[in-house]
Amino acid sequence: MIELLHSKSGITKFQILIEVAAHQPNVRQKEIAEKIGVTPQAVSEYIKELVAEGLIYSEGRVRYRITKQGVEWVLENAADMKRYARYVMSDIISHVSTWTAIAQEELEEGKEVYLKMDHGLLYVSTSEITNATGTTISSAKNGEDVGVTDLMGLIDLENASITVCRIPRVERGGSRNVDVERLRSLARSKSYIATVGVESLISLRRIGLEPHVMFGAKESVIEAAYHGLSSLVLAIDEEVPAILSRLETENLEYELVDLSIQ
């Protein structure tokens, strides 16, 4: 196990350094405490230790910055945790987990197969097309679902992009005040389309399309992104901040486009 995980204090210091880096120089110890689940007094003591170790420095009361040494410490430990996570996924979890995939040919039980993700779905075949391999747990015909275990390697995913389009409420013209040509252009580049609000649905219908999802759009596009699908989200004015906040929480990149006709 990596050194950082040997003690709770090491993990807590790592979390505090991340929060300092994210909010410097105005660091609110109470907010850090609430976020990482410790008391404000504990955060204060840890910050004193981090200052003494040269990982952060103080510019006065509640003003702190992470040092170059602190940045290097965070990066080093983050790299160690990433390697450990890969070890867990490839050498441990993969051997006790069964993944469900779609057979692209007739397969026998115990067959070594190669895995690929296509339009958000996992496929397997005997063709050597990827570095990710596994073993079938049963026979399957072409197009059937099949269980795969003993996964090795990484499944390649496309970098998903998310475009959030602001749609005016009906009081501001609704779908009649939407730049449909720009919407049409954006829709061509996305594999997955979600709408929030009736105005968004009707705007999409104006270009002859139906959404893949209308309810639970925030969670749906996040799940799609994790499967390598790029999404277009049409959302009415007041829903946009909540969607952007959710995407930022998941560290997903996005662009915001206002489709109102100016």
Side-chain angles (χ1 to χ4, degrees):
M1 185 182 293
I2 61 176
E3 185 177 348
L4 181 66
L5 300 181
H6 283 182
S7 66
K8 187 177 185 302
S9 64
I11 297 172
T12 304
K13 285 182 179 181
F14 182 83
Q15 292 175 298
I16 291 174
L17 275 174
I18 294 296
E19 292 302 313
V20 170
H23 301 98
Q24 61 184 4
N26 297 314
V27 178
R28 298 182 182 277
Q29 297 183 12
K30 183 179 179 181
E31 291 180 2
I32 293 178
E34 291 173 352
K35 192 163 185 178
I36 67 175
V38 299
T39 65
Q41 292 81 4
V43 172
S44 178
E45 290 302 315
Y46 277 118
I47 284 181
K48 290 178 183 176
E49 290 182 25
L50 291 168
V51 170
E53 293 169 5
L55 301 181
I56 63 176
Y57 66 91
S58 173
E59 295 181 338
R61 184 174 175 81
V62 304
R63 291 180 64 85
Y64 300 94
R65 289 186 184 275
I66 189 169
T67 64
K68 182 176 181 293
Q69 181 182 344
V71 171
E72 292 173 350
W73 187 85
V74 167
L75 291 176
E76 180 181 347
N77 281 281
D80 285 343
M81 285 194 290
K82 185 176 181 179
R83 284 190 290 271
Y84 185 66
R86 285 189 175 183
Y87 158 70
V88 170
M89 291 301 294
S90 63
D91 290 356
I92 300 177
I93 300 301
S94 64
H95 293 299
V96 297
S97 297
T98 298
W99 293 49
T100 304
I102 300 172
Q104 290 191 296
E105 60 187 78
E106 190 165 340
L107 298 169
E108 299 175 354
E109 180 183 350
K111 191 74 172 178
E112 182 181 51
V113 290
Y114 295 87
L115 300 92
K116 72 171 183 177
M117 191 74 75
D118 187 19
H119 289 85
L121 296 174
L122 190 62
Y123 291 87
V124 292
S125 70
T126 57
S127 301
E128 189 171 352
I129 51 177
T130 68
N131 294 321
T133 63
T135 304
T136 57
I137 64 170
S138 65
S139 60
K141 294 180 180 178
N142 185 17
E144 287 186 339
D145 52 320
V146 62
V148 183
T149 189
D150 292 336
L151 267 66
M152 297 296 292
L154 296 175
I155 300 171
D156 292 329
L157 287 177
E158 293 184 9
N159 290 325
S161 62
I162 300 173
T163 299
V164 179
C165 294
R166 188 190 301 275
I167 302 295
R169 284 279 300 184
V170 69
E171 295 90 342
R172 296 200 301 115
S175 65
R176 290 172 293 278
N177 194 34
V178 167
D179 186 339
V180 292
E181 290 307 315
R182 191 174 186 193
L183 173 57
R184 195 189 312 275
S185 176
L186 290 169
R188 290 194 195 103
S189 65
K190 302 298 180 183
S191 306
Y192 195 72
I193 302 179
T195 58
V196 181
V198 174
E199 297 92 334
S200 299
L201 174 63
I202 302 306
S203 297
L204 190 62
R205 287 179 174 175
R206 289 186 66 190
I207 62 171
L209 296 176
E210 289 289 326
H212 294 93
V213 63
M214 291 176 54
F215 308 107
K218 291 193 291 292
E219 301 306 319
S220 183
V221 297
I222 289 170
E223 191 69 22
Y226 288 153
H227 286 76
L229 283 179
S230 293
S231 301
L232 180 69
V233 187
L234 309 184
I236 53 176
D237 293 317
E238 67 266 28
E239 295 290 343
V240 170
I243 292 172
L244 300 187
S245 176
R246 188 71 181 88
L247 295 178
E248 289 169 0
T249 298
E250 295 295 326
N251 292 318
L252 293 172
E253 294 185 2
Y254 64 85
E255 66 169 337
L256 177 61
V257 177
D258 191 340
L259 287 181
S260 302
I261 298 174
Q262 303 301 324

